């Protein structure tokens, strides 16, 4: 499987993270979105007319939308019955809203993307509050993850844009349940990091101790 | 400091007049291309000096007394130039440069790439102000790195040299993985938007025939974004020049020299002064 | 229920500020909190012991609340400088053999934990208020100032409102944390219902034109 990838993209990271957590190997093709605008070349547009990253190519299958890529890579993580799949679909949609608000704030604040920063931050904050409330509800049931006792596509889809909220000037300090959820995800075997989402150094031993 | 050169744009990305607005030291300025030439002016329309070097446009609100600093290695045949785009950071431009001069953070911020525990030791190195060029130089800097560059395979001890030719620009030279007798050149050019916000323009001149441009840009963007998460969490956002405000160690000799050099030249835009 | 009169904003600040619920600070974690306008790094060692410090590494000013905890030591995320629970620097990874200078230490506040609530105080005098048998539920931030909320909710350390018991922690820039407690013995469904009431309360406060 080949993933057209950009190191600063939370959407690309979702695919890499899910593949890492489920033990699948991806061949990544670095794409210079910025400043190179590789995604606007005719060759790239021929593969993905919307000119977005990531793109997953598996044989004849070409996937260009993040939820589809996650469903394809997710296997068992995607749920084994209609109820569970539908629950996850709710959060896959929610994650697209996160990308359009918190993710947008990050692109504006960091890389001068066009848009209304204050509005993106306000809209993103509203979503963080919804996520926090949901995760508190889950805590009362003894669960750390969004839809089940174990992580699912729902968690992986929402995690990156939430964690990168500070890059767009939105603090995560008010959200205790989100913090606990983030630790649970970052503690998973096989977890990989991206710039702005560091690993938990506390999981490594202190040298010389 | 306003007589210094500052980077304000990528040379291949300046639109025709009326061009693009940006900020330099709190002043709105405009960059545009006219009759094939890149020009700059301030808010009143006054022309500003312009020079194009290392794929970037440099200007000044004052009158630079010297041409832009030279990077002789960049003239060597066979080098690839890699402009890495720009990233805005909410920190003092001087903090951004100081972080670039620092190696002790590699194991914690660039884990398993530029450093890794337990290889955290910073060995003694040499720092001086080269009076003739009026630049800060650190030499014989050595550090163990798991993956020093995109083309590097496996861990190795890397040697570095650092120089600060301008208050908001720094160039480092490091062991080139594919050509051990040469140095890779990596620079950071920092545009001071205000005293507490800046834009970083990473730039490289490498010997690397194998990596794609996208791989090289991606590697450097990854490194810089890891730094950004630190830079936006330093308190205060300004760089303290009072030696009593922050506690350095021997590993920080470059930073100590940089702060002294800034102070001796009154390069204090983005600095916290002793009186504050 | 404690019912101390509110200190006027120009008077002495409160001695103890509630900054987090115990359930939200797991062993070996650090979080940023704000008390009386001061940014603090609040952290818990693996043993469960607590510390609250100025949120600034003395080395290069990095926020210590971003750091990581191994055993009962907090390490700065920037250069890994390692501090014990007393705030004393014990290790500088750039110089592994060096015994750090005793002068390298982080200013600390007093911190104490009682009935599931973590309180901090700059002076440490006296004891924090007793919230008795009330059970901590969750904390949430309201985009309204403590003063504006108190004008609406009334004074007191623990304010009973809509079946919830609220501790207020004022933040800068017109924001305030509500630490919500409930009566003891609520089951999971009861806790969720209380949490939803708290959410509704926030919406009401933020939508109200009376609470500016």
């Amino acid at each position: 499987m080949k993933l057209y990838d950009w190191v600063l993209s939370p959407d690309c990271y979702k695919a890499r993270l899910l593949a890492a957590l489920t033990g699948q190997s991806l061949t990544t093709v670095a794409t210079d979105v910025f400043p190179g605008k590789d995604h606007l070349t005719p060759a790239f547009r021929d593969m993905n007319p919307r000119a977005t990253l990531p793109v997953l190519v598996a044989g004849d299958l070409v996937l260009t939308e993040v939820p589809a890529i996650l469903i394809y890579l997710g296997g068992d993580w995607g749920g084994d019955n209609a109820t569970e799949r539908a629950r996850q679909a709710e959060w896959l949609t929610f994650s697209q809203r996160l990308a359009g608000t918190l993710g947008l704030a990050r692109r504006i604040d960091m890389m001068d993307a066009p848009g209304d920063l204050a509005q993106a931050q306000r809209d993103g904050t509203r979503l963080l509050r919804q996520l926090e409330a949901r995760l508190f509800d889950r805590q009362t049931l003894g669960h750390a993850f969004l839809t089940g006792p174990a992580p699912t596509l729902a968690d992986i889809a929402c995690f990156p844009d939430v964690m990168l909220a500070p890059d767009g000037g939105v603090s995560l300090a008010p959200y205790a349940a989100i913090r606990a959820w983030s630790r649970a995800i970052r503690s998973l075997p096989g977890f990989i990091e991206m710039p702005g989402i560091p690993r938990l150094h506390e999981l490594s031993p202190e040298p010389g101790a | 400091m306003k007589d210094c050169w500052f980077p304000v744009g990528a040379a291949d990305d300046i639109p025709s007049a009326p061009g693009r607005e940006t900020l330099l030291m709190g002043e709105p300025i405009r960059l545009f291309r006219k009759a094939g030439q890149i020009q700059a002016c301030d808010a009143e329309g006054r022309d500003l000096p312009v020079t194009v070097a290392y794929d970037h446009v440099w200007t000044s609100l004052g009158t630079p007394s010297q041409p832009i600093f030279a990077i002789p290695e960049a003239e060597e045949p066979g080098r690839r130039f890699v402009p890495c785009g720009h990233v805005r950071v909410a920190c003092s431009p001087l903090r951004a440069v100081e972080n670039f001069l620092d190696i002790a953070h590699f194991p914690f911020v660039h884990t398993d790439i530029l450093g890794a525990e337990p290889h955290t030791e910073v060995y003694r190195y040499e720092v001086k102000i080269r009076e003739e060029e009026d630049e800060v130089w650190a030499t014989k800097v050595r550090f163990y790195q798991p993956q020093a560059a995109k083309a590097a395979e496996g861990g190795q001890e890397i040697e570095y040299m650092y120089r600060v030719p301008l208050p908001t620009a720094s160039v480092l030279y490091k062991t080139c993985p594919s050509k051990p007798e040469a140095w890779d050149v990596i620079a950071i050019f920092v545009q001071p938007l205000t005293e507490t916000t800046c834009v970083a323009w990473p730039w490289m001149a490498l010997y690397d025939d194998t990596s794609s441009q996208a791989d090289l840009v991606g590697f450097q963007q990854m490194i810089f974004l890891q730094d950004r998460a630190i830079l936006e969490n330093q308190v205060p956002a300004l760089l303290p020049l009072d030696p009593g405000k922050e506690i350095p160690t021997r590993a920080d000799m470059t930073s100590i020299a940089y702060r002294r050099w800034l102070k001796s030249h009154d390069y204090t835009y983005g600095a916290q002064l002793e009186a504050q | 229920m404690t019912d101390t009169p509110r200190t006027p904003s120009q008077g002495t600040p409160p001695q103890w500020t509630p900054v987090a619920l115990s359930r939200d600070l797991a062993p070996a974690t650090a979080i940023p909190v704000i008390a009386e306008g001061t940014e603090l790094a609040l952290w818990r060692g693996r043993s469960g012991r607590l510390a609250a410090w100025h949120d600034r590494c003395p080395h290069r000013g990095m926020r210590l609340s971003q750091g990581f905890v191994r055993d009962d030591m907090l390490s700065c995320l920037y250069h890994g400088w390692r501090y014990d629970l007393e705030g004393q620097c014990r290790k500088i990874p750039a110089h592994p053999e060096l015994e750090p200078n005793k002068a390298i230490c982080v200013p600390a506040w007093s911190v104490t934990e009682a009935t599931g609530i973590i309180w901090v105080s700059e002076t440490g005098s006296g004891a924090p208020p007793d919230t008795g048998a009330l059970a901590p539920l969750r904390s949430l931030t309201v985009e309204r100032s403590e003063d504006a909320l108190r004008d609406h909710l009334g004074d007191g350390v623990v304010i009973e409102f809509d079946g919830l018991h609220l501790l207020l922690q004022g933040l800068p820039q017109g924001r305030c944390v509500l630490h919500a407690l409930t009566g003891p013995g609520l089951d999971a469904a009861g806790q969720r219902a209380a949490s939803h009431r708290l959410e509704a309360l926030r919406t009401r406060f933020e939508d109200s034109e009376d609470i500016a």
Side-chain angles (χ1 to χ4, degrees), chain A:
Chain A
M1 284 182 293
K2 202 149 77 169
L3 183 79
Y4 289 82
D5 183 35
W6 179 36
V7 68
L8 300 192
S9 154
D11 280 340
C12 294
Y13 172 60
K14 291 171 195 175
R16 279 183 280 118
L17 177 60
L18 182 58
L21 292 172
T22 52
Q24 301 172 80
S25 72
L26 286 178
T27 306
T28 56
V29 183
T31 311
D32 180 8
V33 171
F34 176 77
K37 300 193 175 100
D38 281 359
H39 61 305
L40 301 181
T41 58
F44 194 92
R45 280 181 190 277
D46 191 42
M47 177 174 65
N48 175 9
R50 293 184 310 104
T52 55
L53 275 283
V55 176
L56 183 76
V57 180
D60 292 340
L61 183 68
V62 178
L63 298 173
T64 64
E65 293 285 0
V66 180
I69 291 173
L70 296 184
I71 287 168
Y72 183 75
L73 290 174
D76 294 349
W77 283 42
D80 61 2
N81 62 68
T83 308
E84 177 54 24
R85 283 197 296 273
R87 271 202 193 107
Q88 293 192 28
E90 292 255 307
W91 291 103
L92 288 173
T93 306
F94 184 85
S95 74
Q96 299 288 84
R97 292 202 183 114
L98 291 171
T101 55
L102 296 176
L104 176 63
R106 176 175 178 267
R107 293 192 297 277
I108 297 170
D109 201 23
M110 222 166 70
M111 285 171 291
D112 291 327
D116 181 340
L117 179 61
Q119 185 66 45
Q121 290 170 335
R122 271 195 302 277
D123 293 344
T125 298
R126 206 167 298 132
L127 299 179
L128 285 176
R129 287 175 168 194
Q130 292 169 21
L131 182 67
E132 171 79 6
R134 165 70 178 190
L135 287 166
F136 175 82
D137 284 359
R138 300 288 298 158
Q139 284 182 358
T140 67
L141 298 166
H143 291 313
F145 300 104
L146 273 171
T147 65
T152 69
L153 306 187
D155 301 287
I156 303 311
C158 294
F159 175 73
D161 282 302
V162 169
M163 293 312 295
L164 294 171
D167 274 354
V170 177
S171 168
L172 291 174
Y175 309 106
I178 287 176
R179 197 155 41 231
W181 171 70
S182 136
R183 289 184 63 80
I185 293 174
R186 290 193 290 165
S187 302
L188 292 170
F191 175 81
I192 55 169
E193 53 196 354
M194 83 166 265
I197 311 182
R199 74 187 67 191
L200 296 173
H201 286 290
E202 50 270 51
L203 301 179
S204 315
E206 176 69 19

Side-chain angles (χ1 to χ4, degrees), chain B residues 121-139:
Chain B
E121 182 159 10
V122 175
Y123 306 105
R124 194 174 283 280
Y125 56 89
E126 292 177 11
V127 177
K128 66 177 194 179
I129 312 279
R130 293 196 180 168
E131 302 290 345
E132 203 167 304
E133 298 94 343
D134 192 23
E135 296 185 357
V136 181
W137 274 81
T139 55

Side-chain angles (χ1 to χ4, degrees), chain B residues 95 98-99 102 104-105 108-109 117 120-122 230 232-235 246-252 255 259, chain C residues 39 55-56 58-63 66 68 70 76-81 92-97 103-104:
Chain B
R95 286 242 194 231
E98 186 179 79
N99 171 73
D102 182 84
H105 71 286
F108 302 98
V109 180
E117 291 181 288
T120 54
E121 182 159 10
V122 175
I230 297 290
E232 297 205 330
N233 278 296
Q234 280 178 282
V235 183
E246 294 184 345
I247 304 173
T249 71
R250 187 158 46 74
D252 300 311
S255 130
R259 291 184 185 199
Chain C
E39 290 189 12
D55 197 1
R56 192 174 173 279
H59 174 221
R60 284 292 175 256
M62 177 67 189
R63 288 199 170 92
Q66 307 281 313
F68 56 94
R70 289 176 184 158
C76 178
L77 185 59
Y78 196 0
H79 300 94
W81 286 28
I92 296 174
H95 309 295
E97 307 303 325
I104 307 175

Side-chain angles (χ1 to χ4, degrees), chain B residues 39-153:
Chain B
Q39 301 183 34
C41 65
D42 68 10
E44 280 79 48
R46 188 175 62 100
D47 282 343
L48 299 175
V50 168
T51 191
V52 176
Y54 318 122
D55 295 318
H56 289 81
V57 180
W58 303 70
T59 188
S60 173
L61 296 174
T63 312
S65 59
Q66 294 186 32
I68 194 86
F69 61 92
I71 307 179
E73 297 78 5
E75 311 295 326
E76 294 166 359
R79 291 225 182 228
R80 282 174 69 180
F81 299 140
V82 188
C84 300
H86 68 272
V87 178
R88 183 164 41 214
V89 191
C91 75
S92 155
L94 308 177
R95 286 242 194 231
V97 170
E98 186 179 79
N99 171 73
F100 186 79
L101 301 172
D102 182 84
I103 49 174
H105 71 286
F106 289 171
F108 302 98
V109 180
H110 311 296
T111 314
D112 291 348
I113 306 166
L114 302 184
E117 291 181 288
H119 308 283
T120 54
E121 182 159 10
V122 175
Y123 306 105
R124 194 174 283 280
Y125 56 89
E126 292 177 11
V127 177
K128 66 177 194 179
I129 312 279
R130 293 196 180 168
E131 302 290 345
E132 203 167 304
E133 298 94 343
D134 192 23
E135 296 185 357
V136 181
W137 274 81
T139 55
K140 300 185 181 162
V141 182
R142 291 172 298 133
F143 205 68
Y144 174 86
Q145 299 200 328
Q147 193 204 340
K150 193 67 212 176
E153 274 179 35

